[in-house]
Amino acid sequence: MNILVLTPLVPYPPHDGDKLRLYYFLKYLKSRGHQIDLFCLTRVKEDMYQAEGLRPLCRSLYIEHINHWDLFLNLIGGFLMGGSLNVASYFSPKLRDTLKAYWAAPAGQAIDVVFAHRLRMAPHAFRYNPQKPVVIDLTDSLVSYSRQLRKQSGAPLLRRLAAGWDHWFLRKDEVGWSDKAAQALLIAQPDADVLIKHGLEPDKITVIPNGVDLSASYKKAKTDYPHRAKVVCFVGNMGYAPNEEGALWFLRNVWPQVKRAVPEAVFVAVGGSPRKALREYDNGNDVLVTGWVPQVEPYLIQANVSIAPLRFAGGMQNKVALSLGLGIPVVATTAATAWLPEAGKKLVNVADDVNGFADEVIAALQEPMKARAKAIKGKQFVAKHYQWKMAGKQLEEVLKKAVRIGKLKHL
C-alpha cells in the first residue's frame, strides 16, 4: 500500500506515548513493504532537528513548526468559530496548500489510504482528499479526558476552563470525524465505550493497544539516584497535565507519609517539560526532577517502585505497561489502570486516597521480595498481551480493509 500519514508531532525519538505508538506503527508498516509519505506538524521546534531518524521509514517527509503566534491565532479562530480548540490549534494554511498540491501530484494520486494520527489532523485528512479512505487513530477519547479535567480541582484553572469549553465541541467532533472515516482507532476499550455512548457505531471502532519494547538491555545505565536509596520513580512527560497534577498531588499529600515511614526513600520524577510548579520541589537530595532523559527504562529498572498517581487519565498508560513489562512493582490509581483487563489490574497495587496510596508505596519499599514476586507476574502478562508486532499487524489489517471497502464503493 501507499500510505499518507498525517500527525501533529514528530515521532522521533520515540520517548513518550504518542511518539512511541506512531513510530512503531511506521516501523512495522515499513517492514511489511508499504510506502509511507509522512507529514508532520509540531509545536516543539527542537523535534524538527530529530526528524532525520524517520527518513529510513518514509518515502517522503514533510515537517512544519507551529510557533506560539500561529497557535494563538488558531485558538482565537477556534473560539470565534465556536469549535474545538484542540482541533483548531493545528490549522495550517501552509500544510493545507502543500496537501492540495500533493493530491494533484503523482505521489498523491497513487495513495491508497490516509492514516490520520490524532483527531486534530482529521480536517487535513479530508480537505482536498480525492475520496481516498481515511483511518483516524484517536488514540484516546478527548471527550473522556476533557470531562475529567474540567472537574479536577487540582488542575490549573485555565486548563479546566479550556477543557470545559472543548468538552461540548469534542463530543461532536470525535463522533463526526470518526463516522466520516473508514475506521477510528483507540488504545483502550473504556475510551471506545465513551464514543459508543455518544452515538458512534461500534463497528466503526477498532481497539489497538500499544506494545512494550522489552528487547533492549538497560542493565547499568547511569542514573541520578543517590547511593543505597530506596527509589520511588514516576516516569512520563511532566508537562502533560495529568502527569504534572499527579506528581504534585503525590508530593504534597503522599510523600510526607512515605518519608516518615521510610526515611531513606527518594522520589524521582523522570521526563521532559516539567514546569516551575514541579521543578521547585527538586532539592537535590530526596526529591529529584530530571527533565528530559534519553531513556526512562534505566530509571525504572533501578527503582524500587514505580508510581502512576494520576487522578484523571485517558487511554493506555504506557508508564504502567512499561513498568510491569520490566518487572518493577507498580502503585497506581484507578484512573491510571482503567485500560487494563481485570487480570492485569490484579498485578498492580491500586489506591486512590492519600493514606491508601502511601500504604502501598511504603509496603513496596519495606517488603521488596513480596513486591517483586507480584511484579514478575506483571512482566509475564505484558510480554504475552502487549507486543508492537501484534499492534502493527492489527493496524495493517484495518488499513487493508479500508482500501478494499473504498474500492468497492467506487465500482
Side-chain angles (χ1 to χ4, degrees):
M1 292 182 292
N2 294 314
I3 307 169
L4 169 62
V5 178
L6 305 171
T7 176
L9 50 80
V10 176
Y12 193 86
H15 55 58
D16 61 39
D18 282 350
K19 291 189 176 190
L20 278 168
R21 183 173 176 86
L22 184 54
Y23 174 79
Y24 279 101
F25 278 170
L26 296 175
K27 188 176 179 180
Y28 180 84
L29 292 172
K30 177 65 176 179
S31 74
R32 296 285 295 165
H34 303 297
Q35 297 297 317
I36 299 166
D37 293 333
L38 179 61
F39 285 66
C40 307
L41 291 179
T42 179
R43 287 171 52 188
V44 183
K45 191 172 184 179
E46 291 76 12
D47 280 359
M48 298 182 68
Y49 310 122
Q50 306 287 341
E52 287 302 311
L54 295 169
R55 291 203 180 275
L57 303 180
C58 306
R59 179 173 61 184
S60 64
L61 177 61
Y62 171 91
I63 306 171
E64 180 184 336
H65 176 235
I66 295 179
N67 61 37
H68 295 310
W69 181 244
D70 296 327
L71 177 64
F72 174 75
L73 292 177
N74 285 344
L75 292 175
I76 293 296
F79 180 79
L80 293 176
M81 294 293 290
S84 162
L85 300 180
N86 188 287
V87 175
S89 63
Y90 277 77
F91 172 70
S92 165
K94 184 179 177 182
L95 177 61
R96 176 197 62 197
D97 296 342
T98 301
L99 283 172
K100 183 178 181 180
Y102 173 83
W103 283 121
Q109 294 172 8
I111 286 298
D112 296 301
V113 63
V114 180
F115 182 63
H117 177 238
R118 300 309 303 257
L119 177 67
R120 59 193 62 161
M121 300 308 291
H124 294 294
F126 287 100
R127 188 182 292 117
Y128 304 123
N129 179 338
Q131 297 186 309
K132 301 292 184 179
V134 175
V135 172
I136 299 179
D137 186 11
L138 298 172
T139 66
D140 310 330
S141 168
L142 293 175
V143 171
S144 175
Y145 172 79
S146 61
R147 184 185 66 242
Q148 295 177 70
L149 179 53
R150 68 178 180 156
K151 296 179 179 179
Q152 187 54 252
S153 59
L157 177 61
L158 187 59
R159 284 180 177 172
R160 286 190 284 125
L161 291 174
W165 169 277
D166 249 20
H167 180 70
W168 303 106
F169 298 103
L170 286 169
R171 289 192 301 177
K172 175 176 68 71
D173 282 350
E174 278 196 339
V175 172
W177 287 115
S178 297
D179 188 55
K180 190 174 181 179
Q183 196 75 179
L185 308 184
L186 288 155
I187 291 181
Q189 188 59 46
D191 289 72
D193 293 338
V194 170
L195 268 68
I196 294 170
K197 178 182 177 181
H198 287 290
L200 187 62
E201 293 297 324
D203 62 3
K204 277 281 188 176
I205 301 172
T206 300
V207 175
I208 303 180
N210 283 352
V212 177
D213 185 0
L214 302 175
S215 61
S217 175
Y218 310 101
K219 291 180 180 177
K220 291 295 181 181
K222 186 179 182 298
T223 67
D224 301 318
Y225 294 163
H227 185 56
R228 296 185 181 281
K230 292 188 175 181
V231 177
V232 179
C233 183
F234 180 25
V235 302
N237 177 1
M238 292 301 155
Y240 179 51
N243 288 342
E244 179 189 63
E245 197 276 339
L248 293 174
W249 174 80
F250 178 83
L251 283 166
R252 291 165 180 166
N253 302 285
V254 180
W255 184 237
Q257 293 191 37
V258 174
K259 283 295 291 184
R260 283 195 293 270
V262 188
E264 65 271 32
V266 172
F267 172 67
V268 186
V270 182
S273 307
R275 300 194 310 158
K276 183 179 179 182
L278 180 57
R279 293 199 312 270
E280 286 180 340
Y281 280 88
D282 187 331
N283 58 21
N285 183 21
D286 65 348
V287 176
L288 304 175
V289 180
T290 69
W292 182 85
V293 297
Q295 296 174 317
V296 300
E297 289 87 351
Y299 289 84
L300 285 172
I301 286 177
Q302 297 178 46
N304 297 81
V305 59
S306 171
I307 63 169
L310 309 186
R311 298 197 294 162
F312 60 101
M316 179 178 175
Q317 294 303 310
N318 293 288
K319 59 181 68 63
V320 174
L322 179 60
S323 299
L324 287 174
L326 293 172
I328 307 303
V330 179
V331 179
T333 57
T334 299
T337 56
W339 58 276
L340 277 167
E342 290 305 314
K345 291 176 183 176
K346 294 177 181 178
L347 304 173
V348 180
N349 302 296
V350 180
D352 292 313
D353 64 285
V354 171
N355 292 335
F357 206 95
D359 288 345
E360 294 291 355
V361 173
I362 291 167
L365 296 177
Q366 292 182 336
E367 303 176 72
M369 297 297 291
K370 182 179 179 181
R372 290 282 176 174
K374 187 174 185 179
I376 292 301
K377 294 180 181 179
K379 183 175 184 177
Q380 295 167 347
F381 180 83
V382 168
K384 181 178 179 180
H385 296 285
Y386 298 98
Q387 299 179 22
W388 282 116
K389 186 176 180 179
M390 292 167 54
K393 184 177 181 180
Q394 283 183 273
L395 172 63
E396 184 181 30
E397 291 172 353
V398 168
L399 295 173
K400 286 182 175 180
K401 183 179 179 180
V403 173
R404 288 196 302 269
I405 293 174
K407 288 179 178 178
L408 288 174
K409 287 181 177 180
H410 292 95
L411 287 178

